[in-house]
Amino acid sequence: MKNEVGEVRPGQLITTYGPGAIMDSVNDSLVILDITFWKKSLQPIHDSRLASFLHKEMFRKIPAKGKNDLPAIPFPNFHVCSNNKCRRLFDIRESFNMESYLEKGPICPECEKKAYPSRFVISCNGGNHLDDFPWSWWAHQKSENFSCNGKLKLTNSGNNSGLSSMIVSCEKCGDWNHMGAATQKSSFANKGLNCTGNHPHRLNEKLPCNGELIPLQRGASNVYFPVLRSAISIPEKKNMKKEKIIELEDDLNLAEKLFGETGLKRVYEYSLKDSNIFSSAEDFIENWLKYKNQETSNGDSEDFKRYEQIKELEYEALTNLSKAIKDEKTFKAEEVLIPDDLQKYFVKIVKAHRLKEILVLLGFTRNDSPEPEVKDPGNIVWLGDRQTKWLPAVEIFGEGIFIEFNRKNVEEWLENNYEVFNKSEKYKSMYKKYLIRKEWKHQSDKDVIYVLLHTLSHLLMKQLSLKSGYSSSAIKERIYYNEKMAGILLYTGSTDQEGSLGGLVEMGEISKLRKVLVGALEDARFCSNDPNCAIQEPTDDNYINGASCFACTMLPETACETGNMLLDRSLLVKTMESNFTPFFDGLI
């Protein structure tokens, strides 16, 4: 019998409702359990570059509807009765009945009316823990009679629409408190209440923690930040030996555990001798040992110390299509002839008819966004344990437009504009300080050239959303920039095997792309928030942005690589406050 309590799309389990997130279902709110509790038969996804970077052997597909349902538990545990005459506040675990829960959802133990989950939870700034709000402790704040174990009620005085009208009271001693300050961090500071170290996605496993308590509302956006890494899957030459070893991995592990090298030779004799893949049993064992040890060797190699290395491989494929391996299912692209007047700005435009992105969930953070790009982000809750050699992922099939900038002309423009050079140094300095303040690792400089690429990417995405039929949140960006790269990829996709509909790649035709580019630049000259937007200089208070706001350049944060940081339209076109020559001067 299936005990289904809700449905969610595979893509949402990666980006929004992964293990550790609170997800609303039909009758209750739930937390998906950690991947150590998932079934082991999930279909594998192989991408050696990304797997090596993340120290994993493979990824596994998030199951689609009706296949390998994922385990979940109710959370928060505290629920409130919907009956206004009762309003009992109770812990669902005290009298939990699975049969009744699956049929009716959470039910009040007093009046047997429907109950709903508490809207308050509590986290910490130490280990990204999450637990029930300390209701009894809060109700007894005035008397400090914290040993009282009376039944609690949560009522509403109706005096106003704010939290202060909500009152939690104890039936036994009569103590009460309103919820007006229940979401303020200062209400819990120096009050003797400690973090419980709870992880609901690990069946409420509790660990020692000295973190400061942070009260949250259950549906708040800072309850859960997924830590994601992605790669555009570039076809590689097939390694038949490795593929066969991966296929037989479980059998090989068991055989080696039980019989050592003799067991491996038996597997070779029974399953591989006639395949002509391996020249001998010794060749097979050598490749098996190499595969087993790849996590250590690849993980520490120079090639995968930086996430940018993944992008460099993608960039190489997109800029050298003649060398790239074509694959109708994952990668198919063609170069577009660039007119003379655009060659000053771009050296290559590529229409990617077929792309496959692999999006991997590493873990999550709470209260603050995670560190981007690095292999080992600090202060996150990793999925699985040390023995878990895989991570959950989805394959996104889609299309895109790649633009390689004329690096020589960009650098000449920077050198010939003293004001732009000064601004570039300012961006680099402020970004480094931002990383230090966040205690993040410095990966590469973000100078004015990066800001130029990033801003054009946003402006084009806004225009493409109007022309291609996709919403601005459906189009994503990938910025390729360091001493080896200067380009942008604008792409969209779907977890469906057929991918997207072709509306975006069609806009890569030069006649259409020119109109999109000119329209984007013309719109950028003026903003409805000018002159305030035009005079804006990059500061810590505005996320290191120059002339930029939601009216002109900013996008939904799911579409942006850096959370709408490092944008400045004055680098591209003349604004009302410009005092230097923009890069696209003369194009419009």
Side-chain angles (χ1 to χ4, degrees), residues 513-527:
L513 187 59
R514 180 194 291 275
K515 291 178 181 178
V516 169
L517 175 63
V518 171
L521 296 176
E522 285 180 341
D523 286 352
R525 293 176 63 188
F526 300 101
C527 172

Side-chain angles (χ1 to χ4, degrees), residues 1-52:
M1 174 182 174
K2 281 189 176 181
N3 298 330
E4 293 184 353
V5 290
E7 293 181 3
V8 64
R9 297 193 304 274
Q12 288 179 303
L13 281 168
I14 286 286
T15 57
T16 311
Y17 299 124
I22 300 176
M23 178 183 73
D24 286 331
S25 67
V26 177
N27 293 317
D28 202 359
S29 67
L30 309 168
V31 165
I32 303 291
L33 294 185
D34 191 29
I35 61 174
T36 54
F37 299 97
W38 293 18
K39 294 181 179 178
K40 305 300 182 184
S41 57
L42 301 179
Q43 187 176 346
I45 299 174
H46 299 291
D47 187 288
S48 61
R49 297 183 180 103
L50 190 56
S52 295

Side-chain angles (χ1 to χ4, degrees), residues 331-454:
F331 186 71
K332 181 183 178 184
E334 63 172 310
E335 193 172 333
V336 176
L337 185 64
I338 303 177
D340 293 343
D341 63 323
L342 291 183
Q343 290 179 16
K344 175 183 176 183
Y345 312 105
F346 312 122
V347 296
K348 195 154 291 184
I349 296 174
V350 173
K351 294 195 300 181
H353 295 274
R354 189 73 168 169
L355 289 174
K356 184 177 82 169
E357 179 187 22
I358 296 176
L359 188 62
V360 182
L361 179 64
L362 277 60
F364 63 86
T365 65
R366 306 195 193 279
N367 307 304
D368 199 5
S369 56
E371 184 175 6
E373 297 188 345
V374 297
K375 170 175 57 180
D376 299 313
N379 195 34
I380 79 162
V381 180
W382 285 85
L383 299 187
D385 52 34
R386 292 183 179 180
Q387 283 72 45
T388 307
K389 296 182 179 180
W390 63 276
L391 288 169
V394 291
E395 293 176 309
I396 300 172
F397 296 88
E399 51 174 319
I401 301 170
F402 171 76
I403 301 173
E404 182 183 10
F405 276 64
N406 188 323
R407 183 68 176 257
K408 179 175 177 289
N409 283 353
V410 172
E411 291 177 348
E412 285 181 0
W413 165 74
L414 179 60
E415 292 171 2
N416 295 332
N417 282 274
Y418 181 72
E419 295 85 355
V420 176
F421 180 81
N422 284 343
K423 185 169 278 197
S424 186
E425 293 301 306
K426 185 176 183 179
Y427 273 117
K428 284 197 289 187
S429 173
M430 294 190 70
Y431 184 67
K432 285 180 182 177
K433 289 178 181 176
Y434 171 79
L435 296 178
I436 292 170
R437 190 171 67 253
K438 300 279 281 186
E439 298 182 353
W440 289 355
K441 299 169 188 172
H442 181 257
Q443 295 296 302
S444 61
D445 287 333
K446 296 291 190 288
D447 59 12
V448 84
I449 300 178
Y450 176 89
V451 179
L452 172 73
L453 270 62
H454 190 208

Side-chain angles (χ1 to χ4, degrees), residues 214-234:
I214 301 174
L216 301 167
Q217 295 202 56
R218 174 169 51 91
S221 60
N222 59 340
V223 169
Y224 178 85
F225 292 99
V227 182
L228 303 167
R229 295 292 179 267
S230 70
I232 303 298
S233 186
I234 304 298

Side-chain angles (χ1 to χ4, degrees), residues 171-320:
E171 292 184 349
K172 184 176 180 180
C173 68
D175 215 352
W176 64 275
N177 198 356
H178 67 76
M179 303 300 293
T183 57
Q184 297 175 13
K185 188 177 176 180
S186 58
S187 300
F188 296 84
N190 303 316
K191 296 292 181 68
L193 194 65
N194 299 318
C195 174
T196 60
N198 185 61
H199 280 312
H201 73 296
R202 294 177 181 162
L203 290 177
N204 293 310
E205 172 192 59
K206 290 178 168 57
L207 301 168
C209 179
N210 296 318
E212 296 178 10
L213 295 178
I214 301 174
L216 301 167
Q217 295 202 56
R218 174 169 51 91
S221 60
N222 59 340
V223 169
Y224 178 85
F225 292 99
V227 182
L228 303 167
R229 295 292 179 267
S230 70
I232 303 298
S233 186
I234 304 298
E236 300 178 88
K237 290 181 180 179
K238 286 191 175 182
N239 185 333
M240 296 301 296
K241 292 182 178 181
K242 185 174 180 180
E243 287 188 5
K244 201 64 183 178
I245 284 173
I246 290 172
E247 181 185 326
L248 297 171
E249 182 176 6
D250 291 342
D251 293 340
L252 292 170
N253 276 319
L254 181 61
E256 186 177 35
K257 184 177 180 180
L258 295 175
F259 305 108
E261 187 174 310
T262 302
L264 295 176
K265 287 182 177 179
R266 286 181 184 175
V267 174
Y268 172 77
E269 290 292 332
Y270 286 116
S271 304
L272 298 169
K273 188 175 183 179
D274 298 328
S275 66
N276 297 320
I277 296 175
F278 300 94
S279 60
S280 64
E282 289 72 23
D283 178 36
F284 159 67
I285 292 172
E286 180 183 344
N287 277 273
W288 163 246
L289 294 175
K290 186 187 297 183
Y291 172 76
K292 279 207 324 176
N293 295 327
Q294 71 177 359
E295 182 176 345
T296 302
S297 60
N298 285 343
D300 294 333
S301 72
E302 289 294 327
D303 287 342
F304 292 99
K305 281 191 175 180
R306 294 182 297 131
Y307 189 55
E308 274 182 10
Q309 244 82 31
I310 300 290
K311 285 188 172 181
E312 285 174 9
L313 294 168
E314 299 170 9
Y315 188 81
E316 169 120 19
L318 290 165
T319 53
N320 295 283

